[in-house]
Amino acid sequence: MRIVYKYLKDLIIKNRRFVVVLIHLMQAGIANYLAFAIRLEAVLLHEYLYQFASYLSVLLLVRLLFCLLSGLYKDLWRYASIGDLIKIVWSATGGSIVFLVLVMYVAQDTTYPRSIYILDWLLFIIISGSSRLFIRVFRDYLHFQSSGKRLLIIGAGDAGEMIVRDMKNNPAYNYKPIGFIDNDPYKAGHSIHGVTIFGAENKANEVIKEHCPDEILIAIPSAGHKTIKRIYDLYKPFNIPLKILPGMRDILNGNVSVSKIRPLSLEDLLQREPVRADIQHIRQYIEGKSVMVTGAGGSIGSELCRQIIKYKPLSLVLFDRYENSLYEIDLELKGRGSKNETEIFPVVGDILDTRSLEYVFSRYKPTAVFHAAAHKHVPMMEHNPIEAVKNNIFGTKNLVDFSVRYNVENFILISTDKAVNPTSVMGATKKVAEYVALSLNGISQLKSTVVRFGNVLGSSGSVVRLFRKQIDEGMPVTVTHPDVRRFFMLIPEAVQLVLSAAALGKGGEIFVLNMGEQVKITDLAENIIRLSGFLPHEDIKIEFTGLRPGEKLYEELFDETEDVYETEHEKLNVVVPRNLLSSRQIDYYMEVFRHIVADNCHECLLPALKSAVKSFKRQEDHLDYLPHFMIKIPSRHKYP
């Protein structure tokens, strides 16, 4: 029997269109017979049976013609929709009109009952439409009764409706929607495609206990950071994987499907409101100019290139010592084809190589230089302090000197919050780099600006990558200290603020990005573990390893020797240092550091850095160190 069933199934599938047309004609014949039976309220008498049989072949030919014209034979019944019903109505109406004309005016048969035309038309629509609807409903019923991941959907709006519809049409997705949670009181108790709307968020505990979902989907594309964070905190205790849909643009384009669902990420939780950038101001700053980015293959440098190129600079010089990362960003930018009106020049070079810099500045003549190349790993630079001095201090000095020599208009140094009251070699060298950049402001036509911010998610040195790697390998997540906190920002947000600061800068300032609240790293680790589908401290342990050399418990954005001003941008503050090193002092310390590097004298380096950066204190120098961010900053004034 199984062989016979398989043979018949394959035969029908192979000749599906012929079978569909045959069924269509059978439905037409049944509809016409029932029309006569209803009209006569009994079995057909000989006279009417003769009329039925005489014109049946004509009716079937007409129905066949309109079936072919409307394309009904092409449709898959399991995906029947309103569009198919419209086709059926159009086909039935057209066929009935043509049949009426043939009988009454061509055959001139006035004895054919006129009510049959209307009854036949109506019955044909009902039979043909209901058969397709039955197939779809039966298929959906079988699918919804089948096994699959039980999905609770947050948001009973357009996006939620699209997702449920897609799941019902595609059993391969292996999802079974069990209901909606929506705060709209008028939706409670109703259903969408047979899926119940349970009610508002206050019923979450009751719904989860009763229906036991395997996953929860946030289907609110317009949800901001606060909404997503609230939903995450609400469902966090249940330890159920949270998924999320794409943004509002996809909803407007109708581009919403199960394939677009992705796990909720840490970036979703830390995402803030969009940056209010003065696009026109940035465009005037960049458009038509030659721009150079150092460290162009890095996390910050590559995002700078992506955003800068949107403002149509005349040329963009990508400068990096690492060919692989430089190759990737060059390929990405040039892959935009005709949209890219900017000449792109990838240059493999080192900011310590003055011959390489001479070539770049003389050939491409940049009018703006964004300096993102630096050694940034705190523990690594504690083990290699000479390299930190060479790259962060001498590299910056080389770039600033060439910027002055070749009449660069704007030099923007990407700095770090670790330069504030530094406790690490990396932070101290970046503080000296700030001094170097600002000391030559105003020389020639150079406007030198520093932009300072904290950690960015997704960077090569981000602790998030380490946590995810440890979780993937089933290892304990390592945190240095239970109380350690850090500022975090998303890379695109940080870079957009860098461009805003660069456009606002008059030269000689330090712009500090508003990083929001500091994040406790222990909480960060717990969230990443939970978002990965595990229970923190149970499935994945958290181990505390102790602060590494040069690390702080807390980060800072200002120190006591800096005056803080507000700007017209709510996410940017300006810091004006009161104790900048003079050009003569910079030259003196450059000479000191050159001797230290030349002699590879590690023991000489820390005293020199402490002399240049008065606020530089090692952990062992002040065990009772209190973070300066706890000291009240003087009231801020509007920056002139």
Side-chain angles (χ1 to χ4, degrees), residues 15 22 105 109 124 158 161 168 170-171 182 211 214 223 232 270 308 313 339 342 438 478 480 550 596 618 621:
N15 301 281
L22 186 62
Y105 298 103
D109 186 349
F124 179 68
D158 291 340
E161 182 275 331
K168 294 182 73 172
N170 297 280
D182 196 289
H211 297 277
D214 299 310
Y232 172 77
L270 294 179
I308 286 172
K339 294 180 181 179
T342 302
L438 296 177
T478 54
T480 56
I596 291 173
R618 309 279 287 170
D621 296 337

Side-chain angles (χ1 to χ4, degrees), residues 379-395:
M380 190 63 67
M381 291 305 101
E382 291 299 305
H383 296 297
N384 301 275
I386 296 292
E387 292 303 313
V389 169
K390 286 163 60 177
N391 199 68
N392 293 352
I393 296 178
F394 287 123

Side-chain angles (χ1 to χ4, degrees), residues 37-85:
I38 293 172
R39 165 70 177 79
L40 300 173
E41 300 181 357
V43 178
L44 274 63
L45 299 175
H46 176 75
E47 177 186 352
Y48 292 105
L49 187 61
Y50 176 77
Q51 275 188 319
F52 165 73
S54 298
Y55 290 106
L56 180 62
S57 58
V58 177
L59 177 64
L60 294 181
L61 284 173
V62 171
R63 294 293 186 213
L64 175 62
L65 174 64
F66 278 87
C67 175
L68 299 176
L69 289 175
S70 61
L72 281 170
Y73 67 97
K74 299 178 183 178
D75 298 330
L76 294 173
W77 289 16
R78 59 182 174 176
Y79 299 121
S81 63
I82 297 297
D84 296 313
L85 180 59

